[in-house]
Amino acid sequence: MVKITIIANGDFPTHPAPLSAIAEADYIACCDGAANACKAHGIVPDVIVGDADSISPALRQEWADKFVRIEDQDENDLTKTFNFVLQRFRNEQELHFYIVGATGKREDHTIANVALLMDYYDLLENQKLQATIIMMTDHGQFIPHSGKTVIASYKGQQVSIFAHDARNLKSTGLKWPIYDFKKYWQGTLNEALSDHFGIQAEGNYLVFLNY
Amino acid sequence: MVKITIIANGDFPTHPAPLSAIAEADYIACCDGAANACKAHGIVPDVIVGDADSISPALRQEWADKFVRIEDQDENDLTKTFNFVLQRFRNEQELHFYIVGATGKREDHTIANVALLMDYYDLLENQKLQATIIMMTDHGQFIPHSGKTVIASYKGQQVSIFAHDARNLKSTGLKWPIYDFKKYWQGTLNEALSDHFGIQAEGNYLVFLNY
């Protein structure tokens, strides 16, 4: 079992949850420009992936042995980093991915990174890997799911469900039962009624749990 | 012509652009909990709209004559505020809406508020009002458009296009010509080549312009 934390170049985390994901990682992969923030926070990544246009020249030199340069205009640094790490650990029994620092700063990046999370989940599912992937922010966690799931919670926890490509959505244990959302915002602002809730759907959906 | 600025309860703006939208507003509408931030920043809104669960009790009392309480679990405070203001000014010749403070804090709220912007745009289009609506953040502007448009820009400006429900997307003057995106992140990370760029599409799409 390998715990992999990817540090993206949004706001560097301050909440204990994403900070724990960094502290407890077996392997830390850092996106290009996030290397500067890692250095500033005393974190030494195992690898830095990107096109080298954001990391400072001094750090690029100091951590030259860690840098994997990938030029590809069709993919952002987060996707380059995810693909590199997946390739690196693809033969492991069990993989747990945590993505931190993927939100904050430019909102178009935040929206894109959250959308990309569903692509990464698809990729892990299609390769039939025993893997989980969670995006941790300073406010909560984005967790992709599919089919029927029971999710640990607490009474009053704020929950949002983004339907993505899922259909026939149903829930138990949420304040407002979910349904097939026509608009992207309709699954937001829900609330857990107890220490767990259930979701059932055909396809992949994204759960946001506020801390 | 009326300039209306809606202040939502995300991160209070710090960038000059959204701050100007507040300073130059003819009418300031404030979402429930954002009243606390307005008070702290010396801004006196014309109206405060919401279900009164976020504004501080003291301020609720001080600004009681400004408060419009709307209880509706199907709509968030931003939508309640937008609908109130639209009703208030619907007979004006020309309306310019600016939404600030709608991002930051919880990312599920950010995603929902950006999605809601397209709904508001739809509503303005359907009512055939002479109106514009722009969401200003600390990093850039989200501007909904439809059909064929020429957008003022500058060489090297970072641009993202979210297709929303638009089809047959084409562009001129962007570093990477746009197309019918299959994924939500595919229109991000583009760049303007000069002082304007053009987009053509059937339906509504969302443009993000980095400052």
Side-chain angles (χ1 to χ4, degrees), chain A residues 5-27:
Chain A
T5 297
I6 298 175
I7 305 177
N9 197 17
D11 283 341
F12 197 84
T14 61
H15 189 278
L19 290 177
S20 292
I22 297 173
E24 292 166 14
D26 299 313
Y27 188 86

Side-chain angles (χ1 to χ4, degrees), chain B residues 119-129 131 145-146 204:
Chain B
D119 278 19
Y120 305 158
Y121 180 72
D122 262 342
L123 197 60
L124 294 172
E125 291 275 294
N126 290 342
Q127 300 200 0
K128 305 198 185 305
L129 293 170
H145 284 287
S146 62
N204 300 342

Side-chain angles (χ1 to χ4, degrees), chain B residues 16-81:
Chain B
L19 290 176
S20 292
I22 298 174
E24 293 166 14
D26 299 312
Y27 188 86
I28 296 175
C30 171
C31 301
D32 200 357
N36 305 318
C38 281
K39 183 72 179 176
H41 289 83
I43 292 158
V44 181
D46 293 287
V47 70
I48 306 158
V49 182
D51 53 11
D53 64 353
S54 311
I55 188 172
S56 77
L59 204 52
R60 174 82 175 83
Q61 198 162 8
E62 182 182 338
W63 283 347
D65 59 328
K66 297 178 184 298
F67 206 93
V68 175
R69 185 170 183 157
I70 301 175
E71 303 271 5
D72 182 348
Q73 290 174 344
D74 291 334
E75 288 172 347
N76 73 2
D77 286 333
L78 181 56
T79 298
K80 289 173 192 172
T81 307

Side-chain angles (χ1 to χ4, degrees), chain A residues 70-160:
Chain A
I70 301 175
E71 303 270 6
D72 183 347
Q73 291 175 343
D74 291 333
E75 289 172 346
N76 72 2
D77 286 334
L78 181 57
T79 298
K80 289 173 190 170
T81 307
F82 176 78
N83 286 338
F84 173 84
V85 176
L86 183 58
Q87 188 60 32
R88 164 86 170 71
F89 290 105
R90 58 181 305 132
N91 296 322
E92 288 292 329
Q93 273 291 321
E94 196 183 329
L95 294 175
H96 295 284
F97 288 94
Y98 301 91
I99 299 175
V100 306
T103 65
K105 294 183 188 162
R106 278 174 55 181
E107 291 83 1
D108 56 335
H109 287 192
T110 291
I111 292 171
N113 286 343
V114 172
L116 282 165
L117 182 64
M118 296 312 285
D119 278 19
Y120 306 157
Y121 181 72
D122 262 343
L123 196 61
L124 295 172
E125 291 276 293
N126 290 342
Q127 299 200 1
K128 305 201 183 305
L129 292 170
Q130 197 189 336
T132 61
I133 185 161
I134 298 177
M135 183 179 283
M136 289 182 153
T137 81
D138 274 354
H139 307 282
Q141 303 181 46
F142 285 101
I143 315 174
H145 283 288
S146 62
K148 191 171 178 173
T149 50
V150 175
I151 296 167
S153 184
Y154 60 84
K155 185 174 158 58
Q157 184 169 26
Q158 299 295 298
V159 174
S160 289

Side-chain angles (χ1 to χ4, degrees), chain B residues 107-170:
Chain B
E107 290 84 0
D108 55 336
H109 288 192
T110 291
I111 292 171
N113 287 343
V114 172
L116 282 166
L117 181 64
M118 298 311 286
D119 278 19
Y120 305 158
Y121 180 72
D122 262 342
L123 197 60
L124 294 172
E125 291 275 294
N126 290 342
Q127 300 200 0
K128 305 198 185 305
L129 293 170
Q130 196 189 338
T132 60
I133 186 163
I134 298 177
M135 183 179 284
M136 291 184 152
T137 80
D138 274 354
H139 306 283
Q141 304 181 44
F142 285 101
I143 315 175
H145 284 287
S146 62
K148 191 171 178 174
T149 51
V150 174
I151 296 166
S153 184
Y154 59 83
K155 185 174 158 57
Q157 185 170 25
Q158 299 295 297
V159 174
S160 289
I161 318 287
F162 296 97
H164 192 59
D165 62 6
R167 293 288 171 275
N168 294 324
L169 279 90
K170 287 176 198 131

Side-chain angles (χ1 to χ4, degrees), chain A residues 151-161 171-178 181 186-199 207-211, chain B residues 51 53 73 106 108-109:
Chain A
I151 296 167
S153 184
Y154 60 84
K155 185 174 158 58
Q157 184 169 26
Q158 299 295 298
V159 174
S160 289
I161 318 286
S171 64
T172 55
L174 288 176
K175 194 163 177 180
W176 294 282
I178 66 171
F181 308 125
Q186 282 179 314
T188 57
L189 302 180
N190 216 323
E191 194 176 307
L193 296 176
S194 70
D195 63 353
H196 68 281
F197 62 92
I199 295 183
V207 177
F208 178 85
L209 299 171
N210 196 30
Y211 293 129
Chain B
D51 53 11
D53 64 353
Q73 290 174 344
R106 280 174 53 183
D108 55 336
H109 288 192

